[in-house]
Amino acid sequence: MFSHEWGFLLDAPEAGFARAGVTPLLDEAGSTTAGGLTIRRPELFRPPQDYLYFINAALFAITIFLSIALVKFGPPGLPLRALTATLILITTFAASPWIFGQAVRAALPILVVILVCALIALLSSTLNASPPEVILRQLLEIHVQAAIGTVVGACLLRTCGAGVVVKILAMGVALTVIVAFFQFLGVSPAWALREFLDRIQPADLNPDSIFLTMRMRAMGLSYSPVHVGTQICLAFAGWAAYVLARLGAAAKEQLSWLILAGAVCVLFASLISGNRSPILGIVVFCIGYLFLVRPAIAILLALAMVPSLFIIDDIMQDLAEAGLRVARTDDGSSSNRGVLRAFGFMLFFDRPYGYGLSFNSVEHWSHYWEKLKNYPNPMAIQLHALHNYYMMILNKYGGLILFVFAYVVVLLVKNPIALLCLTPYIIHIFFHNDGPLQADFLIWYMLPSLIYLTGLSERGLSQGRPRG
């Protein structure tokens, strides 16, 4: 997948020295030292123990905690998480402009995609006569933040290593899941902690705040239960990519219990937070993973699952009666998907050039009421956004964004490992509003490392022995 578009992430640093006209002194491990910094290949499974490594790792850990638990904490319009992320850029550039330049160059293909999306958004917003100050603010909050996050991720890849990036994110997500577990059990201090975090942040009109005030769904330290679902899917994608990259060519021969343990953790977190979509995503992932390592078992398992389809309703009913939200199909969230999906298509067909960055589907419900009033739960179009990331992006940016979608799909098809690892995430955002360039800013920190790790996996698998 990434041999051309993203190949620079796989370059050895000595190649960069050669392009700069510098002949470095390499040790037997292929490393070099410059200005007190150890520079190696970007995967750095055993990272260099220098001051920049420790500073950036600590800043990233703080950034992840703030991005999960204190999303809006800080001065108005400038959350503290953005400041700590920017500090990673500053420390990297101050310590080694060369490493910073390498990171920016490695991130350039992703930055170009973000720039294209920003230009499409600018066109759509302008055609909708959005005020210039609104457009500028949205571009800064969405696209500039995504670009900064991507460069931060590339700097972390070069200075700390993909393994460190994955593990820090996984630990942050594990912390919120642990708190969510105690909330699920009804432990009051766990809820009180989340309420305290909510009070010290600027108030906003978060529609999911009812889950906190009524203590309806466990959310851990995260902004909402849906954010828990997004975060566990993203952490799992990084973890699976990391494990597969470590296995290399053996990934096709060896069933990794580390990956299966990660899948169990996602299922556990989904059950306690009431998220259904990650469960579906993990099931699809496990089938795909078994086809990679044990195709015969995968086929037998798929055949064995067929009889369960006849008793699935009884199973779901029993689980629903036990109080698990993931098993309920009669709640509003399940029944409103059809009308919201139809609403989204109607909005797009009526304005294929998009509604701009300030798009809010609720503002348009009255024009479509007569066409949608006979759907189950039609009142949803008056109350909720479209609950489909792809539909939200399509209506914000317009039909031109489909070319970006097509480009990303081609890249994923070229790298089946990346597609496999991201499967739970891709499925989860299909049922929710958030995703890349749509409130999910964590993915940009992860993306360079995820690209690198899945690229390593593809290389390893291509060098493996063909299965008989």
Side-chain angles (χ1 to χ4, degrees), residues 114-174:
I114 295 172
L115 176 61
V116 170
C117 291
L119 293 174
I120 295 173
L122 177 62
L123 174 62
S124 178
S125 298
T126 302
L127 291 175
N128 283 278
S130 297
E133 63 274 13
V134 174
I135 298 176
L136 179 60
R137 187 182 74 252
Q138 294 277 2
L139 289 174
L140 288 173
E141 291 179 356
I142 299 172
H143 303 89
V144 173
Q145 181 177 207
I148 291 173
T150 300
V151 178
V152 167
C155 286
L156 291 167
L157 176 62
R158 289 275 164 178
T159 60
C160 296
V164 173
V165 174
V166 169
K167 291 171 185 176
I168 288 177
L169 176 63
M171 287 188 289
V173 174

Side-chain angles (χ1 to χ4, degrees), residues 79-99:
L80 187 58
R81 59 180 171 82
L83 295 178
T84 56
T86 304
L87 279 176
I88 296 174
L89 301 182
I90 294 172
T91 55
T92 303
F93 182 80
S96 174
W98 181 81
I99 293 180

Side-chain angles (χ1 to χ4, degrees), residues 305-356:
M305 290 176 62
V306 172
S308 67
L309 297 177
F310 297 99
I311 59 172
I312 189 66
D313 289 339
D314 295 333
I315 296 174
M316 298 296 281
Q317 183 176 347
D318 291 340
L319 291 175
E321 291 174 354
L324 291 177
R325 178 186 179 273
V326 295
R328 293 186 58 187
T329 58
D330 58 343
D331 60 334
S333 179
S334 297
S335 61
N336 64 24
R337 303 292 180 177
V339 67
L340 290 174
R341 194 174 300 116
F343 186 30
F345 277 116
M346 291 180 183
L347 287 168
F348 173 68
F349 290 134
D350 284 350
R351 198 179 297 184
Y353 56 86
Y355 294 78

